[in-house]
Amino acid sequence: MGTDIAGGVEIRPHGPASPWLLADVDLDDLPRHYDAFGLLFGVRNYAGFDPVAPGRGLPGDASPELRKLQLTDDEHDHTWVTWTELSRIDWDAPAPRVDDRIHKYEGTRFVGKSGFGADWQAVAGESADPRGSSYPEGTEWRSGDRIWRVERLTQSDVLRTDPQLATLFDTMRNLANQHGPDNVRLVVWFDS
């Protein structure tokens, strides 16, 4: 079973003395993107990022509208992050370690991450460890036009592969321009 994200964007329209309100920002379009989950919140952090805002819990001053969005007991890893924190991300920074998932290519075309399939196992050997972090960066296995490679992601790889997240960040940036960067936050939780 996979892990999905839910939550909302909150604003304090009248500054720090005012209560948080749920903004009209739809998170339903955010895909299941483990690299983003890992970078921002430390959830499914296969890429090995230093997360920006892991494990903070649901804010005690969360808006009543946001609290109503929680529907099940299966939700976990509640946390939040302000626009101030998001705006300070160094998008050029590499992850501290290589990705646990082995990256697969057909020729020069990226196909996906994991490498756990029988085709990789046949090339790498039965005793090969399917975790990319077990090997030095740049390790490759080749078979015909297929290449499996151990790689390290940069934080910009997250936005480059997730246009919905980039759109969410643009929306939060616009809200921060109106209300101040400390008065805009993303509150999320996960469901597995």
Side-chain angles (χ1 to χ4, degrees), residues 131-147:
R131 289 173 301 137
S133 57
S134 299
Y135 302 96
E137 185 174 3
T139 300
E140 286 187 0
W141 299 266
R142 292 177 176 261
S143 176
D145 71 337
R146 290 190 182 154
I147 301 168

PDB file of all heavy atoms in Angstrom, residues 131-147:
ATOM      1  N   ARG A 131      19.096  -2.115  -2.363  1.00  0.00           N
ATOM      2  CA  ARG A 131      19.136  -0.729  -1.877  1.00  0.00           C
ATOM      3  C   ARG A 131      20.315  -0.010  -2.530  1.00  0.00           C
ATOM      4  O   ARG A 131      21.474  -0.397  -2.358  1.00  0.00           O
ATOM      5  CB  ARG A 131      19.290  -0.669  -0.365  1.00  0.00           C
ATOM      6  CG  ARG A 131      18.050  -1.114   0.388  1.00  0.00           C
ATOM      7  CD  ARG A 131      18.301  -1.201   1.872  1.00  0.00           C
ATOM      8  NE  ARG A 131      19.381  -2.162   2.098  1.00  0.00           N
ATOM      9  CZ  ARG A 131      20.382  -1.968   2.952  1.00  0.00           C
ATOM     10  NH1 ARG A 131      20.448  -0.887   3.674  1.00  0.00           N
ATOM     11  NH2 ARG A 131      21.325  -2.874   3.093  1.00  0.00           N
ATOM     12  N   GLY A 132      20.013   1.059  -3.262  1.00  0.00           N
ATOM     13  CA  GLY A 132      21.064   1.829  -3.922  1.00  0.00           C
ATOM     14  C   GLY A 132      22.101   2.353  -2.956  1.00  0.00           C
ATOM     15  O   GLY A 132      23.280   2.470  -3.296  1.00  0.00           O
ATOM     16  N   SER A 133      21.683   2.659  -1.731  1.00  0.00           N
ATOM     17  CA  SER A 133      22.619   3.224  -0.751  1.00  0.00           C
ATOM     18  C   SER A 133      23.654   2.204  -0.294  1.00  0.00           C
ATOM     19  O   SER A 133      24.576   2.543   0.443  1.00  0.00           O
ATOM     20  CB  SER A 133      21.861   3.795   0.450  1.00  0.00           C
ATOM     21  OG  SER A 133      21.046   2.814   1.055  1.00  0.00           O
ATOM     22  N   SER A 134      23.545   0.959  -0.750  1.00  0.00           N
ATOM     23  CA  SER A 134      24.552  -0.061  -0.440  1.00  0.00           C
ATOM     24  C   SER A 134      25.770   0.051  -1.359  1.00  0.00           C
ATOM     25  O   SER A 134      26.762  -0.639  -1.146  1.00  0.00           O
ATOM     26  CB  SER A 134      23.962  -1.459  -0.598  1.00  0.00           C
ATOM     27  OG  SER A 134      22.887  -1.641   0.278  1.00  0.00           O
ATOM     28  N   TYR A 135      25.666   0.889  -2.383  1.00  0.00           N
ATOM     29  CA  TYR A 135      26.711   0.972  -3.404  1.00  0.00           C
ATOM     30  C   TYR A 135      27.214   2.410  -3.532  1.00  0.00           C
ATOM     31  O   TYR A 135      26.489   3.355  -3.234  1.00  0.00           O
ATOM     32  CB  TYR A 135      26.148   0.524  -4.760  1.00  0.00           C
ATOM     33  CG  TYR A 135      25.601  -0.874  -4.740  1.00  0.00           C
ATOM     34  CD1 TYR A 135      24.248  -1.106  -4.545  1.00  0.00           C
ATOM     35  CD2 TYR A 135      26.441  -1.965  -4.893  1.00  0.00           C
ATOM     36  CE1 TYR A 135      23.736  -2.390  -4.516  1.00  0.00           C
ATOM     37  CE2 TYR A 135      25.937  -3.266  -4.861  1.00  0.00           C
ATOM     38  CZ  TYR A 135      24.587  -3.467  -4.670  1.00  0.00           C
ATOM     39  OH  TYR A 135      24.089  -4.741  -4.640  1.00  0.00           O
ATOM     40  N   PRO A 136      28.437   2.587  -4.030  1.00  0.00           N
ATOM     41  CA  PRO A 136      28.943   3.938  -4.267  1.00  0.00           C
ATOM     42  C   PRO A 136      28.137   4.644  -5.365  1.00  0.00           C
ATOM     43  O   PRO A 136      27.647   4.002  -6.301  1.00  0.00           O
ATOM     44  CB  PRO A 136      30.386   3.721  -4.729  1.00  0.00           C
ATOM     45  CG  PRO A 136      30.729   2.325  -4.354  1.00  0.00           C
ATOM     46  CD  PRO A 136      29.447   1.559  -4.297  1.00  0.00           C
ATOM     47  N   GLU A 137      28.034   5.953  -5.234  1.00  0.00           N
ATOM     48  CA  GLU A 137      27.363   6.750  -6.257  1.00  0.00           C
ATOM     49  C   GLU A 137      27.995   6.490  -7.620  1.00  0.00           C
ATOM     50  O   GLU A 137      29.206   6.398  -7.746  1.00  0.00           O
ATOM     51  CB  GLU A 137      27.484   8.228  -5.898  1.00  0.00           C
ATOM     52  CG  GLU A 137      26.733   9.151  -6.812  1.00  0.00           C
ATOM     53  CD  GLU A 137      26.755  10.592  -6.337  1.00  0.00           C
ATOM     54  OE1 GLU A 137      27.401  10.901  -5.310  1.00  0.00           O
ATOM     55  OE2 GLU A 137      26.122  11.420  -6.998  1.00  0.00           O
ATOM     56  N   GLY A 138      27.145   6.337  -8.629  1.00  0.00           N
ATOM     57  CA  GLY A 138      27.623   6.102  -9.984  1.00  0.00           C
ATOM     58  C   GLY A 138      27.733   4.632 -10.366  1.00  0.00           C
ATOM     59  O   GLY A 138      27.969   4.314 -11.535  1.00  0.00           O
ATOM     60  N   THR A 139      27.569   3.718  -9.406  1.00  0.00           N
ATOM     61  CA  THR A 139      27.602   2.291  -9.729  1.00  0.00           C
ATOM     62  C   THR A 139      26.533   2.008 -10.787  1.00  0.00           C
ATOM     63  O   THR A 139      25.415   2.502 -10.691  1.00  0.00           O
ATOM     64  CB  THR A 139      27.338   1.437  -8.477  1.00  0.00           C
ATOM     65  OG1 THR A 139      28.329   1.712  -7.504  1.00  0.00           O
ATOM     66  CG2 THR A 139      27.329  -0.048  -8.801  1.00  0.00           C
ATOM     67  N   GLU A 140      26.897   1.223 -11.809  1.00  0.00           N
ATOM     68  CA  GLU A 140      25.965   0.909 -12.886  1.00  0.00           C
ATOM     69  C   GLU A 140      25.947  -0.580 -13.182  1.00  0.00           C
ATOM     70  O   GLU A 140      26.953  -1.267 -13.018  1.00  0.00           O
ATOM     71  CB  GLU A 140      26.369   1.621 -14.194  1.00  0.00           C
ATOM     72  CG  GLU A 140      26.111   3.072 -14.226  1.00  0.00           C
ATOM     73  CD  GLU A 140      26.381   3.677 -15.604  1.00  0.00           C
ATOM     74  OE1 GLU A 140      26.773   2.945 -16.542  1.00  0.00           O
ATOM     75  OE2 GLU A 140      26.187   4.887 -15.741  1.00  0.00           O
ATOM     76  N   TRP A 141      24.801  -1.030 -13.638  1.00  0.00           N
ATOM     77  CA  TRP A 141      24.636  -2.362 -14.200  1.00  0.00           C
ATOM     78  C   TRP A 141      24.018  -2.155 -15.574  1.00  0.00           C
ATOM     79  O   TRP A 141      23.107  -1.338 -15.733  1.00  0.00           O
ATOM     80  CB  TRP A 141      23.704  -3.214 -13.342  1.00  0.00           C
ATOM     81  CG  TRP A 141      24.188  -3.439 -11.954  1.00  0.00           C
ATOM     82  CD1 TRP A 141      24.915  -4.506 -11.498  1.00  0.00           C
ATOM     83  CD2 TRP A 141      23.974  -2.594 -10.814  1.00  0.00           C
ATOM     84  NE1 TRP A 141      25.163  -4.371 -10.163  1.00  0.00           N
ATOM     85  CE2 TRP A 141      24.601  -3.200  -9.717  1.00  0.00           C
ATOM     86  CE3 TRP A 141      23.321  -1.378 -10.614  1.00  0.00           C
ATOM     87  CZ2 TRP A 141      24.591  -2.648  -8.439  1.00  0.00           C
ATOM     88  CZ3 TRP A 141      23.316  -0.821  -9.360  1.00  0.00           C
ATOM     89  CH2 TRP A 141      23.950  -1.467  -8.284  1.00  0.00           C
ATOM     90  N   ARG A 142      24.514  -2.881 -16.577  1.00  0.00           N
ATOM     91  CA  ARG A 142      24.024  -2.706 -17.953  1.00  0.00           C
ATOM     92  C   ARG A 142      23.628  -4.045 -18.555  1.00  0.00           C
ATOM     93  O   ARG A 142      24.276  -5.056 -18.325  1.00  0.00           O
ATOM     94  CB  ARG A 142      25.096  -2.073 -18.833  1.00  0.00           C
ATOM     95  CG  ARG A 142      25.410  -0.643 -18.470  1.00  0.00           C
ATOM     96  CD  ARG A 142      26.554  -0.091 -19.350  1.00  0.00           C
ATOM     97  NE  ARG A 142      26.784   1.296 -19.055  1.00  0.00           N
ATOM     98  CZ  ARG A 142      26.306   2.308 -19.768  1.00  0.00           C
ATOM     99  NH1 ARG A 142      25.584   2.065 -20.847  1.00  0.00           N
ATOM    100  NH2 ARG A 142      26.558   3.549 -19.414  1.00  0.00           N
ATOM    101  N   SER A 143      22.567  -3.970 -19.342  1.00  0.00           N
ATOM    102  CA  SER A 143      22.140  -5.123 -20.126  1.00  0.00           C
ATOM    103  C   SER A 143      21.461  -4.572 -21.373  1.00  0.00           C
ATOM    104  O   SER A 143      20.364  -4.011 -21.286  1.00  0.00           O
ATOM    105  CB  SER A 143      21.173  -5.991 -19.329  1.00  0.00           C
ATOM    106  OG  SER A 143      20.698  -7.051 -20.134  1.00  0.00           O
ATOM    107  N   GLY A 144      22.107  -4.716 -22.517  1.00  0.00           N
ATOM    108  CA  GLY A 144      21.563  -4.145 -23.744  1.00  0.00           C
ATOM    109  C   GLY A 144      21.439  -2.643 -23.604  1.00  0.00           C
ATOM    110  O   GLY A 144      22.385  -1.965 -23.211  1.00  0.00           O
ATOM    111  N   ASP A 145      20.244  -2.097 -23.891  1.00  0.00           N
ATOM    112  CA  ASP A 145      20.045  -0.650 -23.756  1.00  0.00           C
ATOM    113  C   ASP A 145      19.538  -0.264 -22.363  1.00  0.00           C
ATOM    114  O   ASP A 145      19.261   0.893 -22.102  1.00  0.00           O
ATOM    115  CB  ASP A 145      19.095  -0.131 -24.836  1.00  0.00           C
ATOM    116  CG  ASP A 145      17.653  -0.557 -24.629  1.00  0.00           C
ATOM    117  OD1 ASP A 145      17.414  -1.574 -23.934  1.00  0.00           O
ATOM    118  OD2 ASP A 145      16.766   0.123 -25.161  1.00  0.00           O
ATOM    119  N   ARG A 146      19.436  -1.231 -21.451  1.00  0.00           N
ATOM    120  CA  ARG A 146      18.985  -0.935 -20.081  1.00  0.00           C
ATOM    121  C   ARG A 146      20.174  -0.634 -19.190  1.00  0.00           C
ATOM    122  O   ARG A 146      21.193  -1.318 -19.230  1.00  0.00           O
ATOM    123  CB  ARG A 146      18.202  -2.104 -19.504  1.00  0.00           C
ATOM    124  CG  ARG A 146      16.873  -2.271 -20.156  1.00  0.00           C
ATOM    125  CD  ARG A 146      16.043  -3.268 -19.411  1.00  0.00           C
ATOM    126  NE  ARG A 146      14.788  -3.447 -20.105  1.00  0.00           N
ATOM    127  CZ  ARG A 146      14.067  -4.541 -20.037  1.00  0.00           C
ATOM    128  NH1 ARG A 146      14.459  -5.544 -19.280  1.00  0.00           N
ATOM    129  NH2 ARG A 146      12.938  -4.637 -20.691  1.00  0.00           N
ATOM    130  N   ILE A 147      19.993   0.398 -18.361  1.00  0.00           N
ATOM    131  CA  ILE A 147      21.026   0.797 -17.404  1.00  0.00           C
ATOM    132  C   ILE A 147      20.347   0.994 -16.056  1.00  0.00           C
ATOM    133  O   ILE A 147      19.294   1.630 -15.960  1.00  0.00           O
ATOM    134  CB  ILE A 147      21.700   2.121 -17.820  1.00  0.00           C
ATOM    135  CG1 ILE A 147      22.347   1.994 -19.198  1.00  0.00           C
ATOM    136  CG2 ILE A 147      22.734   2.561 -16.777  1.00  0.00           C
ATOM    137  CD1 ILE A 147      22.777   3.328 -19.788  1.00  0.00           C
TER     138      ILE A 147
END
